[in-house]
Amino acid sequence: MLKVAERAQQTLESLMPNRRKAFIEQKAHIWRAFGRHLAKMSYGKCWYSESNDPQSFFDVDHFRPKKEAKRAEGVADDGYPWLAFSWENFRYSAGRSNRLNTDDATAAVLGKGSWFPLLEGSVRANWTNRCEDKESAVLLDPTNRDDVGLIEINSEDGRATPSVTCVGQAKQERAKRSIEIYGLNLGNLITARKRVMRDLQDDYLTLMEICSAGTDMAAVSRLQNKFRRATLPSAPYSRAARAKMHSLPYGPKFCAQPEDEPEALA
């Protein structure tokens, strides 16, 4: 698979500019072939939204768009065709985060599509100056730990918001625009997060009652394992689960630790 991508890249490099887009379109099977491997890395969850909805279609998204990059309304350029076959530019994405779609509740058009705005004053990479590592991207990158930390889930209403450490105008802009473009506050996502958090809170209250009564310690163990499973990175909406647990007295002590593995809690 990597060899196929490398050969396609070599051919792309030799083409005249007016033939590049057509060639990239003909080779969509190359990045799609990476999908199952990318899904395995995230336990089948969308890298942007944490959704694992089995009824959703999933894409291999090009974080930096391969054929057109939309910088603002009515402003676009040729994007990053040299990254069309680069596995480091691939992100596993649910369709509603990746493709343009309409939020039924607000009628707003969401989805990444070809969006890739840059912060004001940023350099802009192009075919002859491939300086993408020097760009100041607006969209948060789910493979960048610092970027991920700029968004958190509200433990009460299930909405994605800029985190407490998201300080400064540029970071606030990045977090807010990413939440909007990735559709992180679509109604169905909020509902799914709230369901996870409600179930955890109910189980937590049950655990506290059992502990107070000093009975059924087997149930205590089962509930503790349930909390750990819900807060493992492999769990759907684990960030919402952790937000809820951290909002409860003693809740953080029941969260999964780095050494916990999914198979250990099966």
Side-chain angles (χ1 to χ4, degrees):
M1 189 163 54
L2 288 172
K3 293 295 184 183
V4 173
E6 289 172 1
R7 289 195 296 270
Q9 183 67 32
Q10 291 170 1
T11 301
L12 179 66
E13 297 286 350
S14 69
L15 295 176
M16 296 295 290
N18 62 346
R19 296 184 57 196
R20 290 171 189 156
K21 285 188 178 181
F23 177 76
I24 291 171
E25 289 173 354
Q26 293 168 2
K27 300 295 182 179
H29 64 279
I30 293 178
W31 58 81
R32 288 172 182 160
F34 283 82
R36 61 189 177 93
H37 301 285
L38 299 174
K40 188 175 181 180
M41 292 169 65
S42 62
Y43 307 96
K45 299 193 297 182
C46 169
W47 291 14
Y48 299 119
S49 68
E50 281 200 297
S51 172
N52 71 334
D53 187 350
Q55 289 188 307
S56 294
F57 53 83
F58 283 78
D59 298 320
V60 175
D61 173 45
H62 288 74
F63 180 63
R64 282 180 163 82
K66 58 190 178 295
K67 293 187 294 183
E68 177 191 75
K70 187 175 180 180
R71 311 297 186 174
E73 289 295 346
V75 180
D77 55 41
D78 291 337
Y80 306 83
W82 65 92
L83 297 178
F85 307 114
S86 172
W87 64 267
E88 294 173 311
N89 191 40
F90 300 157
R91 309 289 184 267
Y92 190 65
S93 175
R96 296 204 72 177
S97 285
N98 186 40
R99 305 189 189 191
L100 297 181
N101 62 97
T102 301
D103 183 346
D104 294 334
T106 65
V109 177
L110 308 174
K112 185 168 176 282
S114 61
W115 273 106
F116 202 77
L118 300 173
L119 293 174
E120 185 175 355
S122 172
V123 299
R124 184 179 300 177
N126 56 55
W127 184 270
T128 57
N129 183 19
R130 303 178 185 185
C131 60
E132 62 270 14
D133 59 327
K134 294 182 173 60
E135 289 183 330
S136 298
V138 169
L139 290 177
L140 301 180
D141 184 353
T143 68
N144 184 312
R145 184 182 294 272
D146 291 338
D147 279 6
V148 172
L150 297 180
I151 289 179
E152 63 188 14
I153 305 300
N154 185 288
S155 64
E156 296 301 321
D157 63 15
R159 297 182 65 85
T161 64
S163 70
V164 67
T165 58
C166 185
V167 179
Q169 183 177 350
K171 289 182 178 180
Q172 284 281 322
E173 178 184 351
R174 297 188 67 212
K176 290 176 180 178
R177 288 286 282 142
S178 296
I179 290 169
E180 174 191 349
I181 290 175
Y182 293 144
L184 300 187
N185 281 331
L186 281 166
N188 59 340
L189 280 178
I190 292 174
T191 297
R193 293 183 192 127
K194 289 172 73 174
R195 183 183 303 116
V196 167
M197 294 191 295
R198 183 175 59 250
D199 289 348
L200 282 177
Q201 180 165 311
D202 288 347
D203 287 337
Y204 174 84
L205 294 175
T206 299
L207 176 63
M208 293 297 102
E209 290 173 0
I210 293 172
C211 289
S212 296
T215 59
D216 198 357
M217 298 313 293
V220 170
S221 180
R222 288 195 300 272
L223 288 170
Q224 287 178 311
N225 277 338
K226 184 173 182 180
F227 297 145
R228 292 192 186 98
R229 283 194 296 269
T231 54
L232 282 166
S234 57
Y237 314 110
S238 58
R239 295 195 73 188
R242 282 184 170 272
K244 174 52 69 176
M245 293 306 293
H246 278 265
S247 74
L248 299 170
Y250 312 113
K253 69 176 295 183
F254 301 123
C255 290
Q257 300 302 310
E259 63 271 17
D260 290 325
E261 296 292 340
E263 56 268 25
L265 297 173

